[in-house]
């Protein structure tokens, strides 16, 4: 075999060090991501994970407050999920010549725990696929073509979900997107009513809280109005609970706190128990019946090779059961305010923290933007730097020197997400607060933090 054809094994992968991972990742996956990771120090080689804790190859312990962007409500490698996978390790993972029994059981269970009369599921392998499937459901059910979505909202990066993701940076390079997608501000029922009047919309797709938008909660009563308006215009309400679901915000699903039931609910992330990739929508029997009915012809429109395969579905059955049994929603409801209050004390203390906000254990820390003389001298670059990279640098510093993992939210990079597993302990929450306190007290000004963690990032941006 020539060098070109030499294949690396799983054992080789396990033995790679930090530098080797960086090089291979840079050359074969995503160069920009590798560069940013190396610059700000988020390129450790993690070799072990359990609950909220992860360890690197030097034996250093960290607390994971990224939480897989909401995929790790159960923490890393929960034994109940691993046990379920062991139980099915000789069952065919997929076999299209039979009905997927684990998917059927999972759908049955989801119907028991979701609100109202939601009962019929579709399964795929990711959040974005669940969004795609729900947009198609809305079109085939209503016969209408357009979609209304929220500025700052995030639903994924495949073509359809990107078309309803409210961030120009992600949309523009890929235009033309799906036609007839209408953006409106989040939290504004009048804007929704205007859009519903002007457009014949198949669906309004929205998150209960903008997660990637920077953890933005809606005004009181917003969703009651949303529900009323969607019903009166015969437009489906697709609620994206992919990040807010499974206890994250203090109830099993965030919509319970709004007192509404959507027509379609989207689920992914923690549905897989932090171990397997799985996404789903759940809708009512009447919507599913009118959309796809019992016709054999339409049944093949719903299939996906890996969607709802036995292994993923078995892990999801165990994940859902554990989330309910361990009452992770109540844990989030109790620990969230404790954590937020402690972070609010830090906000009082450090001007670099503009705001901390959230619900349950979906928490965002918005950082103050750079401005003033430095911004003037750098022709706006300082502000750009602070907006785009400050949170990465703080994340890098926290990771490297304080043992806490955090990352920015995708649609609002000035916000650090704090989404620990819901079974995080009070001591671990205190540890994270203490880490921020130590970091900010050592580096009072933004510039010091930036210099400490990313000198070359600053200079490369200033050169542009
Ligand atoms: N919807 C929401 C609310 C999300 O937060 C995300 C991912 O962050 C998605 C959809 C897309 O999910 P995935 O990354 O699994 O495609």
């Amino acid at each position: 075999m020539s060098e070109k054809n030499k294949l690396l094994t799983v054992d080789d992968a396990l033995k790679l060090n930090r530098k080797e991972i960086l090089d291979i990742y840079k050359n074969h996956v995503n160069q920009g991501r590798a560069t940013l990771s190396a610059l700000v120090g988020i390129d450790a080689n993690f070799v072990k994970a359990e609950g909220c804790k992860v360890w690197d190859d030097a034996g250093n312990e960290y607390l994971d407050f990224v939480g897989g962007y909401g995929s790790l409500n159960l923490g890393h490698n929960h034994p109940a999920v691993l046990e379920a996978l062991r139980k099915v390790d000789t069952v065919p993972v997929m076999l299209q010549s039979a009905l997927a029994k684990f998917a059927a059981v999972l759908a049955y269970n989801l119907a028991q725990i979701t609100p109202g009369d939601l009962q019929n599921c579709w399964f795929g392998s990711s959040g974005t696929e669940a969004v795609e499937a729900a947009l198609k459901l809305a079109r085939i059910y209503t016969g209408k073509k357009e979609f209304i979505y929220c500025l700052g909202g995030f639903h994924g990066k495949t073509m359809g979900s990107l078309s309803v993701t409210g961030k120009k940076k992600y949309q523009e390079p890929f235009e033309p997107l799906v036609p007839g997608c209408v953006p409106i501000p989040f939290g504004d029922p009048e804007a929704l009513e205007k859009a519903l009047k002007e457009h014949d919309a198949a669906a309004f797709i929205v998150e209960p809280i903008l997660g990637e938008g920077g953890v933005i909660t809606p005004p009181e009563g917003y969703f009651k109005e949303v529900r009323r308006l969607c019903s009166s215009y015969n437009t489906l309400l697709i609620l994206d609970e992919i990040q807010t679901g499974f206890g994250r915000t203090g109830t099993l699903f965030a919509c319970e706190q709004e007192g509404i039931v959507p027509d379609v609910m989207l689920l992914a992330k923690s549905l897989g128990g932090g171990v397997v990739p799985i996404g789903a929508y759940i809708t009512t029997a009447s919507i599913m019946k009118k959309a796809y009915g019992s016709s054999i012809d339409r049944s093949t429109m719903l299939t996906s090779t890996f969607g709802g395969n036995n292994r993923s579905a078995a892990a999801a059955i165990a994940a859902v059961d554990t989330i309910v049994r361990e009452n992770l929603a109540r844990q989030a409801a109790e620990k969230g305010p404790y954590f937020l209050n402690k972070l609010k004390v830090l906000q009082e203390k450090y001007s670099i923290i503009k705001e901390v906000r959230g619900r349950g254990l979906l928490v965002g820390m918005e950082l103050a933007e750079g401005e003033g003389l430095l911004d003037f001298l750098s022709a706006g670059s300082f502000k750009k730097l602070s907006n785009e990279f400050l949170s990465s640098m703080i994340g890098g510093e926290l990771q490297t020197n304080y043992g806490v993992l955090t990352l920015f939210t995708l649609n609002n990079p000035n916000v650090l997400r704090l989404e620990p597993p819901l079974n995080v302990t009070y001591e671990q929450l205190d540890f994270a607060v203490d880490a921020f306190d130590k970091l900010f007290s050592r580096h009072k000004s933004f510039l010091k933090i930036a210099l400490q963690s990313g000198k070359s990032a600053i200079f490369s941006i200033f050169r542009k």
Side-chain angles (χ1 to χ4, degrees):
M1 239 189 207
S2 73
E3 266 307 296
K4 165 86 182 151
N5 293 325
K6 183 176 181 302
L7 300 181
L8 297 170
T9 64
V10 171
D11 288 326
D12 292 331
L14 282 167
K15 282 186 217 132
L16 293 177
N17 66 31
R18 186 175 181 148
K19 166 85 174 60
E20 290 163 336
I21 298 167
L22 190 70
D23 287 345
I24 299 182
Y25 198 92
K26 200 177 216 162
N27 289 331
H28 297 282
V29 187
N30 179 339
Q31 186 167 356
R33 169 68 212 253
T35 305
L36 176 67
S37 298
L39 271 177
V40 299
I42 50 169
D43 60 340
N45 178 17
F46 293 114
V47 293
K48 194 177 148 195
E50 192 186 304
C52 189
K53 295 180 184 171
V54 293
W55 290 267
D56 69 17
D57 54 3
N60 299 311
E61 185 178 298
Y62 305 76
L63 293 183
D64 182 359
F65 275 59
V66 178
Y69 303 161
S71 308
L72 292 166
N73 290 4
L74 281 165
H76 288 274
N77 294 323
H78 194 288
V81 182
L82 299 185
E83 173 63 15
L85 286 172
R86 271 193 295 274
K87 281 188 190 156
V88 297
D89 67 1
T90 56
V91 173
V93 175
M94 73 202 89
L95 216 175
Q96 281 75 10
S97 319
L99 293 177
K101 67 178 168 209
F102 291 94
V105 169
L106 177 61
Y108 172 87
N109 287 355
L110 289 173
Q112 311 310 309
I113 61 163
T114 47
D117 51 358
L118 297 172
Q119 88 166 55
N120 281 62
C121 288
W122 175 93
F123 292 110
S125 307
S126 63
T128 198
E129 279 176 83
V131 174
E132 300 289 336
L135 296 177
K136 286 171 63 190
L137 172 72
R139 277 196 175 167
I140 198 170
Y141 171 75
T142 62
K144 303 183 192 183
K145 304 273 178 260
E146 292 174 274
F147 300 107
I148 302 170
Y149 69 100
C150 286
L151 293 163
F154 186 88
H155 301 287
K157 292 180 185 159
T158 51
M159 215 49 126
S161 63
L162 186 60
S163 306
V164 293
T165 280
K167 172 95 171 166
K168 282 274 158 243
K169 171 179 166 175
Y170 294 131
Q171 288 185 322
E172 271 171 1
F174 305 101
E175 288 172 349
L177 298 171
V178 173
C181 294
V182 181
I184 59 165
F186 178 68
D188 181 347
E190 281 165 23
L192 176 61
E193 180 147 33
K194 185 166 177 290
L196 285 167
K197 270 188 191 142
E198 289 170 4
H199 300 271
D200 201 18
F204 174 45
I205 180 165
V206 61
E207 296 157 83
I209 294 172
L210 302 187
E212 298 304 320
V215 190
I216 312 285
T217 49
E220 181 104 23
Y222 172 63
F223 275 101
K224 284 244 159 63
E225 267 304 277
V226 166
R227 179 63 281 181
R228 188 185 67 73
L229 287 167
C230 287
S231 298
S232 63
Y233 284 84
N234 194 23
T235 292
L236 290 189
L237 171 56
I238 303 176
L239 196 66
D240 184 341
E241 291 253 16
I242 286 170
Q243 189 154 171
T244 51
F246 297 110
R248 173 62 49 190
T249 70
T251 42
L252 207 44
F253 301 101
C255 66
E256 293 166 40
Q257 291 167 67
E258 309 291 345
I260 60 137
V261 180
D263 299 303
V264 187
M265 186 190 277
L266 305 179
L267 303 168
K269 294 193 187 271
S270 281
L271 176 59
V275 178
V276 297
I278 181 165
Y281 71 61
I282 183 161
T283 188
T284 65
S286 64
I287 292 175
M288 202 63 160
K289 187 149 189 273
K290 183 176 168 219
Y292 294 101
S294 48
S295 124
I296 294 173
D297 193 35
R298 286 196 168 183
S299 69
T300 49
M301 292 179 184
L302 288 164
T303 60
S304 152
T305 305
F306 294 107
N309 70 71
N310 286 336
R311 196 160 288 177
S312 298
I317 291 168
V320 170
D321 173 63
T322 312
I323 287 165
V324 172
R325 219 167 8 85
E326 294 186 358
N327 207 343
L328 290 190
R330 205 189 61 219
Q331 295 200 40
E334 289 170 1
K335 292 168 190 167
Y338 171 87
F339 188 43
L340 205 57
N341 286 338
K342 291 210 152 193
L343 292 170
K344 285 205 160 119
V345 173
L346 292 190
Q347 184 191 331
E348 295 296 308
K349 208 165 153 189
Y350 301 108
S351 59
I352 196 166
I353 306 176
K354 187 170 167 194
E355 191 183 32
V356 282
R357 54 177 178 255
R359 196 188 288 165
L361 282 170
L362 178 56
V363 174
M365 176 189 284
E366 182 160 353
L367 301 164
E369 292 178 357
E371 47 199 23
L373 183 64
L374 264 175
D375 199 44
F376 175 74
L377 291 175
S378 65
S381 298
F382 183 75
K383 191 163 187 165
K384 182 178 171 200
L385 171 68
S386 89
N387 287 348
E388 295 277 325
F389 293 106
L390 175 58
S391 54
S392 296
M393 289 174 177
I394 290 176
E397 262 299 281
L398 269 180
Q399 173 167 332
T400 309
N401 293 319
Y402 300 89
V404 176
L405 310 182
T406 66
L407 283 177
F408 58 83
T409 55
L410 271 181
N411 279 358
N412 193 344
N414 219 32
V415 175
L416 276 172
R417 77 176 73 237
L418 298 162
E419 289 185 56
L422 306 183
N423 45 23
V424 64
T425 64
Y426 285 95
E427 292 72 32
Q428 288 168 334
L429 292 172
D430 290 345
F431 185 92
V433 173
D434 206 41
F436 275 110
D437 199 4
K438 284 185 186 137
L439 169 71
F440 290 142
S441 66
R442 254 185 77 198
H443 306 285
K444 282 243 166 51
S445 74
F446 158 65
L447 192 61
K448 274 196 193 150
I449 295 171
L451 284 172
Q452 168 85 9
S453 37
K455 283 178 205 142
S456 36
I458 295 176
F459 293 126
S460 70
I461 285 162
F462 277 22
R463 269 200 300 273
K464 277 185 192 158

